[in-house]
Amino acid sequence: MIRRLAALLALVAAPALASDALRPPLLLTGQRADVQDLSGRWTYSKDYYRTGLTDINGWVAKSRMQRYRDVDVAAEEAKPGTAFFEFDLDRGPAMEIPGAWNAAAPELRWYDGLIWFQRRFDAAPAKPGQRSFLRFEAVNYRAHVYLNGKEVGRHEGGFTPFVLEVTDVLRAQGNRLVVGVDSRHDAQSIPGEITDWDLYGGITRPVKLIQTPATFIDDATLRLTEAGRLVGSLQLNGAQAAGQAVSVQIDALNLKARATTDAHGEARFDIAAPGALKRWSPESPLLYAVRFASDGDAVDDRVGFRTLAVKGSEILLNGKPITLRGVSIHEEELGANPARRLTDSAARALLSEVKTGLNGNYVRLSHYPHSETMLRAADELGLLVWNEIPVYWTVDWDNPAVLLKARRQQAETIYRDRNRAALALWSVGNETPVAENRTRFHAALAATVRELDPSRLISAALLVERQGDTVRIADPLLPHLDVMAVNTYAGWYGDDRLEDLARLKWALPTDKPLLVSEFGADALAGYHDLSAQPKKWSEEFQAAYYRATLAMLGRIPNLRGLSPWVLKDFRSPRREHPIFQNGWNRKGLISETGQRKQAFEVMAEHYKTLPSNR
Ligand code: GCU
């Protein structure tokens, strides 16, 4: 009751902009037929001083530097006259898109600024009345998008999709798509300027050209409720959106439900779940083919149906207590020069280490929304997911524009992932120092989540307080969370020796489930120390750290899940020990090339010995 009251108060205190106003104007979720994938070789042009946007003294950029112009530079140069240019995207260097520029060329390894990308393409033959859209799955960090010389839109945020309509500027042949990508972060960006992960600037996820009928299905959802109902919605966009007959169909359940859109083009479904419906779970990740249709359009999705709740200190999946056996993951594929290019096979390579290698049922996708590919792979493999927006460490807590950015990123993620059964937890932050303005910021985010997606659990990776041998969790954010989560590194950071961990006492509320969202130690794969007191950085020390930490955490009565930091060594500019790190954070249970360290087996063994529902 207290919790609900607190959430209600948070709602009342929520910032002016109502959450449904955060819905992006266009979503184009779901899988549809008329999609052209623009992945491939894109040319690029560096623009370190942003002269393609503005010139010195804030003047308008010189036309000879405006990379987005719809101009064939070589042809212009071949003509007599005085025209000259200081760029040419047709004859520039090229790189594979999607993928971050840091991995594409040595000269770009540490580039942090604006780079212009270009993709020439022909469009599929237009159908009468059709509309055309560009859907970007992610561009890190700001995007300036131009098609055939016209600005069609901008977006801020490195990990969420955005859709721009290009109906009026698309042509049949020779389209010139130019995207200015600015990786620069600042004190008002989300995340801020300093993170413990690499920059990965660029067009890091796929770009698609989507063509739809004049009135189309922009979004459609369906989920199972505790009351055994299938509830959902369908949103049409277009001149004929209101008063339209629409339907949702699941052939495997012999189910077809009809509805009519309201004046805003939205229809709602609320149907009794068929008795034959089998629920999704990690042990049985059953997904149903769902078709949403209107008169003239249809989208498909693969949806699992399950229920999720918190009861006292238990997390219930389909009404039964569950313990989350997981690990934290960054969005970085295996390999020595990752480009943050998460193809389905790259995602499955990582997730199978969790599911099969570690006997896991859960993955914490840190510290930002991962690609939809990763979420869909978790749906298919049967891994529950913690999804996080990068409200990480230091944020300009008092700035309403920054809160709005965070709420928009939260909303963009929710609208993208609402149909993913695997998605269980929304995290509203990571390791943010307790302060009144910070707690208010997070509470507003929690209120946004509760309004936009009441079906999932809210958490945040909190810092613990240390008083002598007592580890305390007393964060004022707790009343806004369904599940407590903390990061702890006693035995790695700080002065504790591993033998001291047995003495630590944990003082925390026991009326809610607790997840330990991070614990970990660095080890360089292949570096061994066989002495009785193995040194830090050795695999033996990391394994001993895991054993001591698991023994300590096992004494917490309401511990309901673990996601040790971290599955795989990952790139970070903060980690520069010349022997052990060289720009890699080495807390991985596996190396960047997938070599398992001794601690991997310690964790796998631990999960294997946990009882099935513990
Ligand atoms: C923090 C933080 C991680 C970081 C880790 C570490 O807990 O959440 O992003 O990488 O510690 O220090 O390795």
Side-chain angles (χ1 to χ4, degrees), residues 196-197 330 364 367 392-393 430-431 487 489 493 518 522 565 570 574-575 585 587:
D196 193 25
W197 66 82
H330 261 301
R364 175 177 176 234
H367 289 288
Y392 177 92
W393 287 356
N430 181 75
E431 286 201 351
N487 298 347
Y489 284 92
Y493 294 127
E518 288 185 30
D522 284 70
W565 189 258
F570 61 93
R574 293 175 73 245
R575 310 295 176 162
N585 181 311
K587 293 189 183 69

Side-chain angles (χ1 to χ4, degrees), residues 202-221:
I203 304 173
T204 53
R205 297 178 193 161
V207 183
K208 295 176 179 165
L209 175 69
I210 300 174
Q211 290 170 313
T212 73
T215 294
F216 63 90
I217 300 171
D218 189 38
D219 184 32
T221 67

Side-chain angles (χ1 to χ4, degrees), residues 412-433:
E412 289 168 349
T413 313
I414 289 174
Y415 280 105
R416 184 195 73 175
D417 295 338
R418 291 192 293 183
N419 282 350
R420 305 283 70 77
L423 183 49
L425 292 136
W426 291 112
S427 167
V428 294
N430 181 75
E431 286 201 351
T432 54

Side-chain angles (χ1 to χ4, degrees), residues 466 471 488-502 504 506 519-522 534-537 541-542 544-546 548-549 552 587:
R466 183 69 184 267
V471 182
T488 174
Y489 284 92
W492 176 257
Y493 294 127
D495 305 329
D496 300 295
R497 298 162 305 163
L498 293 187
E499 51 269 35
D500 299 333
L501 270 57
L504 297 187
W506 284 67
F519 61 91
D522 284 70
K535 289 232 176 309
K536 286 187 174 181
W537 301 109
F541 178 89
Q542 189 190 41
Y545 164 92
Y546 266 74
T549 302
M552 168 185 68
K587 293 189 183 69

Side-chain angles (χ1 to χ4, degrees), residues 44-48 51-52 55 61-69 71 73-74 76-77 82-92 116:
Y44 66 90
S45 166
K46 299 194 303 296
D47 186 357
Y48 195 67
T51 54
D55 199 357
K62 298 278 185 298
S63 62
R64 67 176 186 270
M65 299 182 183
Q66 291 172 333
R67 272 80 165 170
Y68 50 78
R69 286 176 60 193
V71 62
V73 172
E76 290 304 309
E77 287 173 345
T82 58
F84 87 105
F85 301 85
E86 295 184 288
F87 75 93
D88 182 353
L89 273 165
D90 285 332
R91 290 178 290 177
W116 295 89

